[in-house]
Amino acid sequence: MSPGIDARRTLEPVIAALNSIVLGKDRQIRLAVACLLARGHLLIEDLPGVGKTTLAQALAKTLGLSYQRVQFTSDLLPADVIGVSVFDRDHARFEFRRGPVFTQLLLADEVNRATPKAQSALLEAMEERQVTVDGQTHPLPEPFFVVATQNPSYQLGTYPLPESQLDRFLMRIDLGYPDPVHERELLRGRDRRALLAELQPQLPAETLRALQAAVPQLHVAEPLLDYVQALVRRTRDSGLFEAGLSPRAAIALLRASQGWALCHGRTGVLPEDVQAVTRAVVGHRLQLRTAVDGDRAADLDGLLLQAVAVP
Amino acid sequence: MTPSPALRRLMATCGALSVAVLPHVPQLPPWITATFALAVIWRLVAEQRAYALPSRWLRLAAALAALLAVLLSFHTLNGLAAGTALLCLMAALKLGETRTPRDHAVLVLVGYLLCLAALLHEESLARLCFVLVAVWLLTAALARAQRPLEAASSGHPLRLAARLLGLGLPLAAILFVFVPRLEGHFWALPSQPDAAVTGIGDDMTPGDVASLARSDEPAFRAWFEQGAPRPPQRYWRVQVLEAFDGRGWHRATARADAVPPPIEADGTEYDYRVALEPTHRPWLVGLDTVLDWPHALAGRSRTGALMRLGRGPGGLQAIDTRLEYTLHSAPTARVMAAALPADLRHRDLELPPAAAPATRALAATLRAAASGDRDYIDQVLRRFHDEAFEYTLEPPRLGAEPTDEFMFRTRQGFCEHYAAAFAVLMRAAGIPARVVIGYQGGDWNRYGGYLLVRQSSAHAWNEVWLEDSGWTRVDPTAAVAPERVRRGADGRANAAGGVAGALADWAWLGRARQLWDAARTAWYEGVVNFSGTTQQRLLDALGLGEWGLRGLAIALTTGFLLTALLLGAWLAWEMRPLPLDPLQRAWRDVCASLAAAGLPRDPSEGPLDYARRVARTAPALAAVMMAFTEVYVRARYLPRPVAADIATAGQLARQVRLQARRGGV
């Protein structure tokens, strides 16, 4: 990592600000930040009203990122996301009107309600970090971070993201209900919108960029690579999953672990860092064989983490 | 749609298992076969449609129910039949929880056990070939189950299995030949008393038979020391029928006679060995006329039938397994007696008073015109030959007076009809006569050098008592259909017509059949009947005779132990753990000493988590443990390790050990 930046101290105010908006979700907040530092995109899957949008907005605010929100609906067109070429009479030429995707933090709300065509427009932009319209390539701003949300319960009229598209998200997290203490605090406290409006950026843009650049540089020791490989092998050999993790997923797991380790101010990755992000990174990339007992199915940790020894 | 790798793996295991169950199907109660088939189909569908498998309680209940059902249906869980049934059921239930490679391995092992049971049921060569295929498929399924699902196929499992079995073959051969054979049975398998009875019976009622079922099953095989007798001499005696009730002929006595009848031998004598297939009756087969037999094994009745002595009813023992014995016979020997005792003479002349009036009248007419007993016999045989008698295997049924109906109305029949009618004609004319049942003929197997007699060679002929020659064989069937005696079974096959007859004309098919039978016989001779004595003979031939069983056992055990030791040493060298660096050693020591103090590390626990847990549980250890972990983590996982850290880690590890031992926990 770049000298002179103590990532943990730098990020502390960010985490604290986020925690003051989204209460009692420290772990998820840290995962989201680690995901962003690892230059990955985030998928939040949860019920309405648990704070998905608030988290995304708070992230944008605290990190000082430009923010756009696209509500995905079934009539959303690709052009509504990436932009459209309009004929300019004055100059007698086509001019590209940038869509909402040209932002630093894009909240794609209820991404599974749009048609696959609109979905893939977004997902392509996520992967390429650029948009090509009419043969012209428009690079997306840096950093570019997509937070997509999807609602797991109402499947009627939705287009679930196919596995290959899910792979584009570095992490998938859920927020869940707050615990009673934090819920009470939430009920007593002020309106979140007002709080959000007051939120100040906590991180200069160049610091964020430096942190992002530091993630892949973070030291990874040989024994840790052994551990990551052992985890991946377990998903492939155990017969518990429909298909094992791909090499791309293995890289994702390593990057996310590096992001997590950086957040915690470490100069190298520990097995604990891998374990902390494993669920978020591989949860949406693995499908349990249906033959596996129902009571074990939910417990990815038991099937994967607890079955692999730390070297 | 191509099946998923998991489904393909399941299909391989299910298929191999089904093949292993197949030989048991005839013996299994139908409900077990049905249960198994349903379980296989259900499991495959469940895999494809991704149904959930039954819960643990349901599986437990099903297993108990299966146990109970087998108990109710067999009244025991012991023995081959019940054990096989239970295995099949448990395999079916195991399918309900088959997911991991280990589950597949269990199923495959059940399959191997079923193969073993199949060979316990029947040791034929055909069964062996089938079981070999089953074992091959099972091994392939095992190989497929043990490799990762998505693995780029490194060689087909079938090929791998074939190679494994091939590699195992020399070992199996060595074990087979050299492991000392103990005489007697290791496990006493109960025989199957209700097994179907084929071949020669105890009675003969020709009128009731509308069509003679011809079976090509082998009845017995015979090895001759100096060449086989010519076909017309191949009369194999099994049993003698003396009592006639007007319809059928019955055995008169089943008692080994203390005083054998005097036999006068002339002409060629034969020493030969007979291997008799199971008949489930006590009668032995012998080439007429048997002069000498193993007296410990068998006795001879007054009528010349050989019977196996044993502990069954009447001091006899049914032949339920293949039986081998050696005999000494002379086809031209004559049973000489100065005179037939009065009571026997009476028995062999007895006819029910009202039976066969027309035949009796004919006998009276013919006898009056004949010059003597021999002339009378010739005239009767000529009558069979000249008049419109026909040899057929599908004669019409006969009514209340079978002898008369056959002689004057239907005139169609096979050996039993002619033998029965001939005996009545003889007795009516005052000549003592009886019916002999057995086999006539036999095919010379030039590949195996033995005579094969099939069930289809079953035959019936007569013996008449003549003052000058004693009991004399007369075969009335030969007068009607000489080719039956000359050509044996083939002649009959042609007479029967049909597909079998047509096929028998194809020389290559005949040769193939002979070759198959020779292989089957070699299998029995060389493998199934390989006993302590044969083993000793083989060892003598190899020059290892004086080693004895004990020496052999010691040599084998030593050899295998040595091989295992060498292999083990080699494997241990190959798989030796990489040398631990000081840091790893320190970490291992810390984990070990804390485990000894009751705080073992979970293998999946990272060093920081472990240190925190230890600090929480044993505050006394917290400081030193945290210090150690910090150094360890820094040296192991963080960049630029320093040599000092490694040394410090070793010191701290010793401190952890000391404190943990001092009861810091």
Side-chain angles (χ1 to χ4, degrees):
Chain A
M1 98 184 239
S2 313
I5 306 181
D6 181 341
R8 188 171 170 183
R9 197 166 304 154
T10 317
L11 286 169
E12 228 156 49
V14 176
I15 306 277
L18 288 170
N19 265 322
S20 71
I21 300 291
V22 183
L23 301 176
K25 297 294 167 199
D26 185 60
R27 194 185 149 68
Q28 283 88 339
I29 286 170
R30 283 172 189 276
L31 279 172
V33 172
C35 181
L36 195 149
L37 292 187
R39 293 165 61 92
H41 303 289
L42 182 67
L43 178 65
I44 307 179
E45 190 174 85
D46 218 320
L47 299 169
V50 293
K52 297 188 294 267
T53 315
T54 312
L55 175 61
Q57 277 177 307
L59 269 172
K61 278 266 184 182
T62 46
L63 295 173
L65 303 176
S66 63
Y67 170 78
Q68 287 279 354
R69 172 179 177 161
V70 179
Q71 183 67 40
F72 274 50
T73 54
S74 55
D75 56 356
L76 188 82
L77 295 175
D80 297 335
V81 180
I82 58 176
V84 66
S85 286
V86 180
F87 188 73
D88 183 351
R89 276 180 196 280
D90 297 344
H91 300 88
R93 58 180 176 131
F94 279 99
E95 190 177 271
F96 181 62
R97 293 264 172 86
R98 298 181 158 201
V101 75
F102 288 88
T103 183
Q104 289 177 310
L105 196 153
L106 176 72
L107 173 63
D109 223 354
E110 300 199 75
V111 70
N112 57 339
R113 294 193 54 196
T115 55
K117 203 167 179 173
Q119 286 175 0
S120 63
L122 171 70
L123 294 160
E124 264 177 57
M126 283 164 57
E127 183 71 11
E128 310 289 331
R129 290 174 187 273
Q130 62 185 26
V131 168
T132 304
V133 176
D134 298 336
Q136 264 198 306
T137 301
H138 309 274
L140 292 174
E142 271 295 318
F144 176 63
F145 183 47
V146 174
V147 177
T149 73
Q150 71 177 359
N151 190 334
S153 57
Y154 306 109
Q155 293 299 327
L156 203 66
T158 63
Y159 302 89
L161 293 172
E163 279 150 48
S164 58
Q165 308 276 39
L166 279 174
D167 202 33
R168 307 275 165 92
F169 292 97
L170 180 62
M171 291 190 192
R172 182 189 67 180
I173 61 175
D174 45 32
L175 288 172
Y177 299 119
D179 58 75
V181 179
H182 290 112
E183 190 156 34
R184 177 66 67 99
E185 205 180 319
L186 192 69
L187 294 174
R188 278 188 190 287
R190 291 172 54 203
D191 181 27
R192 296 292 118 181
R193 275 175 217 287
L195 286 176
L196 267 176
E198 291 169 11
L199 217 52
Q200 293 302 316
Q202 303 290 335
L203 204 65
E206 60 270 24
T207 314
L208 179 62
R209 221 164 289 144
L211 286 173
Q212 282 190 330
V215 166
Q217 309 294 326
L218 206 66
H219 179 75
V220 176
E222 289 298 318
L224 191 100
L225 288 179
D226 290 343
Y227 182 53
V228 169
Q229 281 192 301
L231 285 173
V232 171
R233 204 175 317 122
R234 162 86 181 162
T235 67
R236 295 173 187 167
D237 294 354
S238 63
L240 292 168
F241 307 102
E242 288 291 350
L245 287 178
S246 64
R248 182 161 69 184
I251 295 173
L253 180 58
L254 190 63
R255 284 284 172 274
S257 307
Q258 286 173 313
W260 181 268
L262 187 73
C263 281
H264 290 75
R266 283 197 256 282
T267 53
V269 185
L270 297 193
E272 278 87 347
D273 300 323
V274 180
Q275 292 176 348
V277 299
T278 295
R279 196 190 169 82
V281 174
V282 306
H284 57 295
R285 290 181 162 93
L286 284 178
Q287 210 180 349
L288 274 165
R289 304 260 331 263
T290 40
V292 176
D293 274 349
D295 51 337
R296 284 167 68 201
D299 186 15
L300 185 71
D301 294 347
L303 292 178
L304 184 56
L305 289 180
Q306 287 171 25
V308 179
V310 174
Chain B
M1 166 188 145
T2 54
S4 70
L7 181 59
R8 275 216 302 279
R9 178 165 84 179
L10 202 63
M11 276 157 61
T13 307
C14 284
L17 197 62
S18 304
V19 171
V21 168
L22 211 56
H24 297 287
V25 168
Q27 286 100 33
L28 282 177
W31 66 269
I32 291 186
T33 315
T35 309
F36 179 82
L38 279 178
V40 167
I41 293 168
W42 173 83
R43 184 64 183 86
L44 289 175
V45 171
E47 181 68 28
Q48 202 193 350
R49 305 265 171 89
Y51 295 157
L53 293 186
S55 72
R56 179 175 310 165
W57 292 111
L58 192 61
R59 296 196 309 254
L60 198 66
L64 284 177
L67 204 67
L68 209 65
V70 170
L71 205 57
L72 283 179
S73 130
F74 289 90
H75 306 292
T76 173
L77 293 178
N78 229 337
L80 193 53
T84 310
L86 198 62
L87 266 181
C88 290
L89 273 185
M90 289 303 158
L93 294 182
K94 180 75 192 165
L95 273 174
E97 56 171 19
T98 294
R99 307 181 183 95
T100 60
R102 193 190 153 277
D103 296 329
H104 283 268
V106 170
L107 278 179
V108 168
L109 288 181
V110 170
Y112 285 144
L113 275 180
L114 284 171
C115 287
L116 201 69
L119 284 178
L120 288 179
H121 265 298
E122 186 188 317
E123 290 178 315
S124 69
L125 185 58
R127 173 61 59 94
L128 176 84
C129 294
F130 189 89
V131 163
L132 275 181
V133 170
V135 166
W136 179 40
L137 292 177
L138 282 167
T139 312
L142 188 64
R144 187 189 280 276
Q146 295 306 312
R147 70 178 190 193
L149 275 181
E150 311 80 3
S153 60
S154 53
H156 198 276
L158 278 173
R159 234 177 354 251
L160 176 65
R163 212 167 65 220
L164 284 176
L165 293 184
L167 287 172
L169 217 53
L171 190 65
I174 289 175
L175 288 176
F176 177 78
V177 172
F178 290 112
V179 166
R181 302 263 153 177
L182 302 178
E183 295 292 348
H185 290 289
F186 267 118
W187 45 65
L189 288 174
S191 58
Q192 289 100 44
D194 54 344
V197 175
T198 54
I200 303 267
D202 289 352
D203 305 290
M204 178 180 107
T205 313
D208 292 350
V209 180
S211 170
L212 187 64
R214 285 165 30 80
S215 159
D216 266 348
E217 286 297 301
F220 61 92
R221 297 176 181 81
W223 286 259
F224 288 88
E225 301 229 326
Q226 314 92 2
R230 289 180 301 111
Q233 290 184 336
R234 293 174 190 165
Y235 279 88
W236 305 87
R237 175 185 292 249
V238 173
Q239 193 44 260
V240 177
L241 309 179
E242 286 186 304
F244 179 54
D245 62 5
R247 272 197 77 77
W249 288 80
H250 308 282
R251 182 162 51 76
T253 162
R255 199 163 48 78
D257 213 359
V259 189
I263 293 174
E264 185 182 278
D266 59 356
T268 322
E269 295 180 14
Y270 294 94
D271 284 304
Y272 58 99
R273 181 162 59 91
V274 176
L276 181 63
E277 298 293 329
T279 60
H280 307 289
R281 295 171 188 282
W283 321 129
L284 266 58
V285 175
L287 183 69
D288 244 1
T289 302
V290 176
L291 301 180
D292 195 16
W293 65 94
H295 293 268
L297 177 78
R300 183 162 70 177
S301 77
R302 173 181 54 75
T303 55
L306 286 175
M307 50 194 75
R308 185 177 182 191
L309 304 176
R311 280 175 307 204
L316 302 180
Q317 189 183 336
I319 298 163
D320 291 327
T321 55
R322 208 175 123 102
L323 181 70
E324 286 200 20
Y325 49 91
T326 49
L327 296 176
H328 181 72
S329 290
T332 47
R334 287 183 301 171
V335 181
M336 293 302 293
L340 199 59
D343 56 330
L344 296 183
R345 185 178 191 83
H346 176 72
R347 182 200 291 276
D348 289 328
L349 281 173
E350 194 174 24
L351 284 175
T359 310
R360 283 176 158 177
L362 174 70
T365 325
L366 287 176
R367 183 68 186 87
S371 60
D373 285 352
R374 284 186 183 280
D375 188 36
Y376 171 69
I377 294 168
D378 287 344
Q379 288 208 18
V380 168
L381 290 179
R382 203 172 304 131
R383 198 178 171 78
F384 277 141
H385 185 259
D386 292 347
E387 296 200 6
F389 283 96
E390 190 192 331
Y391 181 86
T392 171
L393 292 177
E394 289 168 356
R397 279 179 185 278
L398 299 176
E401 195 51 74
T403 316
D404 281 1
E405 280 179 45
F406 170 69
M407 282 302 294
F408 300 104
R409 194 168 61 78
T410 67
R411 293 188 166 185
Q412 291 179 328
F414 48 85
C415 57
E416 292 191 1
H417 297 78
Y418 293 99
F422 184 81
V424 172
L425 280 165
M426 289 301 119
R427 287 189 177 184
I431 302 173
R434 57 193 188 184
V435 175
V436 184
I437 53 179
Y439 297 89
Q440 203 284 320
D443 304 327
W444 180 251
N445 189 311
R446 56 186 167 128
Y447 302 103
Y450 58 86
L451 205 60
L452 167 68
V453 181
R454 299 175 188 279
Q455 292 294 358
S456 55
S457 298
H459 191 47
W461 62 93
N462 298 98
E463 282 180 345
V464 293
W465 176 267
L466 297 175
E467 292 304 331
D468 53 344
S469 59
W471 282 113
T472 309
R473 178 172 63 225
V474 181
D475 189 350
T477 313
V480 183
E483 75 282 355
R484 163 70 185 87
V485 175
R486 225 179 24 242
R487 293 186 51 192
D490 289 347
R492 280 183 60 171
N494 281 340
V499 178
L503 286 181
D505 285 341
W506 294 1
W508 65 268
L509 194 68
R511 278 202 300 276
R513 269 165 55 121
Q514 280 204 358
L515 207 57
W516 170 241
D517 194 73
R520 239 170 20 159
T521 309
W523 157 255
Y524 273 112
E525 296 286 303
V527 179
V528 177
N529 290 347
F530 189 73
S531 63
T533 4
T534 7
Q535 187 179 34
Q536 192 59 48
R537 224 176 296 146
L538 184 68
L539 290 178
D540 286 341
L542 289 173
L544 300 173
E546 69 270 25
W547 284 30
L549 286 187
R550 182 191 296 267
L552 205 59
I554 292 173
L556 264 185
T557 317
T558 321
F560 272 99
L561 277 180
L562 266 179
T563 318
L565 269 177
L566 282 176
L567 262 180
W570 180 72
L571 277 178
W573 174 251
E574 281 285 296
M575 299 171 69
R576 69 191 183 280
L578 294 170
L580 291 178
D581 60 42
L583 192 64
Q584 285 168 309
R585 217 173 307 134
W587 174 241
R588 195 194 54 193
D589 288 351
V590 164
C591 292
S593 44
L594 286 174
L599 279 170
R601 184 176 77 98
D602 186 285
S604 66
E605 209 171 10
L608 274 189
D609 288 343
Y610 184 42
R612 285 193 202 109
R613 185 162 65 86
V614 169
R616 251 195 337 272
T617 327
L621 286 173
V624 66
M625 183 62 188
M626 282 321 237
F628 167 79
T629 309
E630 193 191 330
V631 173
Y632 168 71
V633 163
R634 191 163 62 215
R636 185 117 202 249
Y637 289 107
L638 301 190
R640 291 185 293 279
V642 248
D645 271 348
I646 293 173
T648 323
Q651 286 163 15
L652 286 168
R654 272 190 292 282
Q655 285 185 30
V656 171
R657 186 166 66 228
L658 283 177
Q659 294 207 11
R661 203 181 295 163
R662 218 180 290 144
V665 181

